[in-house]
Amino acid sequence: METVVNWLNDIIWSQALIYLCLGVGLFYTIATRFLQVIHMKDIFKLMFKGGKSEAGISSFQALSIALSGRVGTGNIAGVATAIAFGGPGAVFWMWVMAFLGAASAFIESTLGQIYKVKQDGQFRGGPAFYIEKGLKIKWYAMLFAGVTVLATGMLLPGVQANSIALSVENAFGINPAITGAIIVALLAIIIFGGVKRIARVAELVVPFMALGYVTVALVIVLMNISELPGVLKLIFSSAFGADAAFGGILGAAISWGVKRGIYSNEAGQGTGPHAAAAAEVSHPAKQGIVQAFSVYIDTLLVCSATAFMIIITGMYNVTPDNKPAIVNNLADIEPGPGYTQAAVESVFPGFGAPFVALSLFFFAFTTIMAYYYMAETNLAYINRKTKRPWTIFALKIVICGMVFYGSVKTASMAWALGDVGVGSMAWLNIIAILLLTKPTLKVLKDYEAQLKDGKDPVFDPVKLGIEDADFWEKEYKPLETEKTG
């Protein structure tokens, strides 16, 4: 079984997917005329404008849920792995992927808004919805929904919990079973409270965890500020093969940087549109721009915080595949959270292990919340024609069970199966958004035209010739907060 799963992973996460994500990001960057630059000036206004309703959540809450999924253990472990196998230059290529990925995130999140529906009193949307409504291929949509429920509802939550339990045991000596029980109790309180409670927790916890982590990184950089110019020079020179030590691994720097960048920011993988669709906005492009910014937060802020802590303190090894070690500062420590722990410990002795454990707890726990939300949304899509409320209840029980199981058991097989699921989501979603490029660019052009006329953009699918945007055509009514600004 393990051999088959690993074989599938090698196919799904091959260089083809990496080049596809890179190419799609570049294509949408050009097609949107560098949207991720020209519209960032409006991001804070868009993030906090609009409002909540009985059916929808605020733009900021939608951003927070999306960030819950994007900012996870990969922001700590993934960055360390990229440096370990690709050298410091890999960090630059992660930045490149964040820049290009922001355009892909805009496209998929805008599509989530265009084709969202109001189901059981709340907004639902995501790739399954826009595949059915936009492409009119129902089996394709059902396939995406089924893969997503399996991956995010059953396989991936357990491995995130495993990361929490191991880091807490290493830092505080607490038995993984106790940690698992605590995680399950907290998760149950949140998910049994519904989507609104998930949104409220996310908007409180996500900014706190990201700012706290970045602040500690900033302090470490400031305490080693004389090393910063050298670190920046090393990252840029290594990224282009100009550094003497790392010149021979240029290919590895690009490959690992792009791969980990994609894995961390998730742009194009179909995760972000689920939260984006739940936002209460007057125009789909508004939430698309907000979600593009979430990619920047994930990579340019949180991943960069990890990278600078590791490189500026020298707490890393570089051992490219099948090549002798170029840097060996940490003996036999495996690439992962241990690099970040060592970096923090080198500046604040006794603080590194607890700090990384708490960071992993917040990063991984909020990711589990986001996984549940994605699984519930896709289960709601599957159930949209038939009332099966018991399936949502069953999903909550299953995810709590998988979280506890993952806390006390090693989860390598679950990771591999989860990677198959997430990789499959990426392939299915990228093909879909490419086929739906035309209506998305129409929506962006309409948004920009209304802005140019001094209006607060409001979406009218009929005027743009976009079919099956049923909510916008039949149900949308501006909120008072949107009317008044």
Side-chain angles (χ1 to χ4, degrees):
M1 178 66 175
E2 191 168 349
T3 305
V4 173
V5 172
N6 289 333
W7 173 75
L8 276 174
N9 254 328
D10 288 341
I11 294 173
I12 291 169
W13 285 99
S14 65
Q15 294 294 107
L17 180 58
I18 292 168
Y19 290 130
L20 182 63
C21 290
L22 192 60
V24 167
L26 180 60
F27 167 67
Y28 282 128
T29 295
I30 295 168
T32 62
R33 301 182 307 283
F34 290 82
L35 163 136
Q36 64 268 60
V37 176
I38 61 176
H39 285 295
M40 282 304 112
K41 65 182 184 297
D42 299 323
I43 186 62
F44 290 103
K45 181 175 71 176
L46 292 173
M47 198 186 302
F48 297 108
K49 196 176 180 181
K52 294 176 280 189
S53 69
E54 287 301 313
I57 59 178
S58 71
S59 285
F60 185 73
Q61 287 178 325
L63 171 70
S64 298
I65 292 177
L67 277 171
S68 299
R70 295 192 202 280
V71 178
T73 54
N75 293 76
I76 297 176
V79 175
T81 305
I83 294 170
F85 298 120
V91 177
F92 172 82
W93 294 105
M94 290 185 76
W95 293 340
V96 170
M97 279 314 303
F99 179 75
L100 298 179
S104 301
F106 167 82
I107 296 293
E108 63 180 358
S109 297
T110 300
L111 282 168
Q113 270 285 332
I114 294 170
Y115 295 106
K116 71 182 179 182
V117 301
K118 194 172 181 181
Q119 182 178 332
D120 298 326
Q122 59 187 313
F123 292 142
R124 297 285 191 186
F129 294 83
Y130 57 69
I131 288 169
E132 180 180 338
K133 286 173 164 289
L135 295 180
K136 298 176 174 56
I137 309 176
K138 188 175 178 181
W139 68 263
Y140 191 0
M142 289 294 284
L143 176 62
F144 182 91
V147 166
T148 304
V149 171
L150 180 65
T152 61
M154 296 182 66
L155 301 172
L156 290 171
V159 293
Q160 293 288 328
N162 187 258
S163 297
I164 296 173
L166 288 178
S167 64
V168 168
E169 185 180 28
N170 291 337
F172 305 108
I174 298 173
N175 189 296
I178 296 172
T179 303
I182 293 169
I183 299 169
V184 168
L186 290 173
L187 183 66
I189 290 168
I190 294 166
I191 65 176
F192 277 92
V195 173
K196 292 294 183 72
R197 187 173 294 175
I198 293 172
R200 284 196 296 271
V201 172
E203 75 174 333
L204 290 172
V205 173
V206 171
F208 163 77
M209 76 178 189
L211 285 173
Y213 189 75
V214 171
T215 299
V216 170
L218 187 60
V219 170
I220 289 173
V221 169
L222 288 173
M223 292 177 72
N224 294 272
I225 195 67
S226 61
E227 305 293 328
L228 185 58
V231 167
L232 291 170
K233 181 182 177 183
L234 180 63
I235 289 172
F236 283 98
S237 61
S238 302
F240 296 97
D243 183 82
F246 301 109
I249 60 166
L250 174 60
I254 297 172
S255 176
W256 279 98
V258 170
K259 191 187 299 183
R260 289 306 174 199
I262 292 167
Y263 205 87
S264 176
N265 67 51
E266 298 184 355
Q269 289 182 29
T271 54
H274 297 97
E280 183 79 66
V281 291
S282 66
H283 198 287
K286 289 183 176 181
Q287 186 59 201
I289 292 167
V290 170
Q291 293 297 335
F293 185 62
S294 74
V295 175
Y296 286 171
I297 296 173
D298 171 85
T299 305
L300 300 186
L301 279 180
V302 184
C303 284
S304 295
T306 301
F308 279 112
M309 282 193 287
I310 290 171
I311 298 173
I312 207 163
T313 58
M315 295 292 106
Y316 63 97
N317 300 330
V318 179
T319 310
D321 291 331
N322 304 315
K323 291 185 179 181
I326 298 173
V327 177
N328 190 15
N329 294 336
L330 290 177
D332 297 324
I333 293 180
E334 289 289 320
Y339 283 23
T340 313
Q341 277 184 319
V344 181
E345 285 283 344
S346 70
V347 179
F348 301 113
F351 179 66
F355 170 71
V356 173
L358 287 171
S359 298
L360 275 171
F361 174 83
F362 284 116
F363 285 15
F365 184 79
T366 53
T367 298
I368 294 169
M369 285 192 335
Y371 284 157
Y372 170 76
Y373 179 73
M374 292 173 212
E376 182 188 288
T377 298
N378 284 276
L379 195 55
Y381 169 80
I382 293 169
N383 288 336
R384 70 203 182 287
K385 302 293 185 187
T386 310
K387 298 293 182 184
R388 300 188 189 101
W390 65 268
T391 57
I392 299 293
F393 180 80
L395 174 65
K396 292 171 181 175
I397 298 299
V398 167
I399 200 168
C400 287
M402 294 305 294
V403 163
F404 184 78
Y405 181 80
S407 299
V408 297
K409 298 286 184 182
T410 55
S412 57
M413 186 63 168
W415 260 120
L417 285 165
D419 286 348
V420 169
V422 173
S424 300
M425 287 168 60
W427 276 105
L428 293 168
N429 183 62
I430 289 171
I431 292 167
I433 65 174
L434 282 171
L435 293 172
L436 289 167
T437 297
K438 188 176 178 181
T440 321
L441 294 182
K442 273 186 183 179
V443 169
L444 175 60
K445 188 175 179 181
D446 174 66
Y447 173 78
E448 291 176 333
Q450 291 191 55
L451 275 185
K452 192 175 180 181
D453 291 340
K455 300 175 182 176
D456 181 12
V458 175
F459 182 51
D460 181 357
V462 176
K463 187 180 81 172
L464 298 179
I466 295 174
E467 299 177 353
D468 289 326
D470 297 335
F471 166 77
W472 293 99
E473 188 176 338
K474 300 172 184 176
E475 298 182 70
Y476 172 69
K477 293 177 182 177
L479 292 173
E480 287 302 316
T481 49
E482 290 179 323
K483 291 177 184 175
T484 60

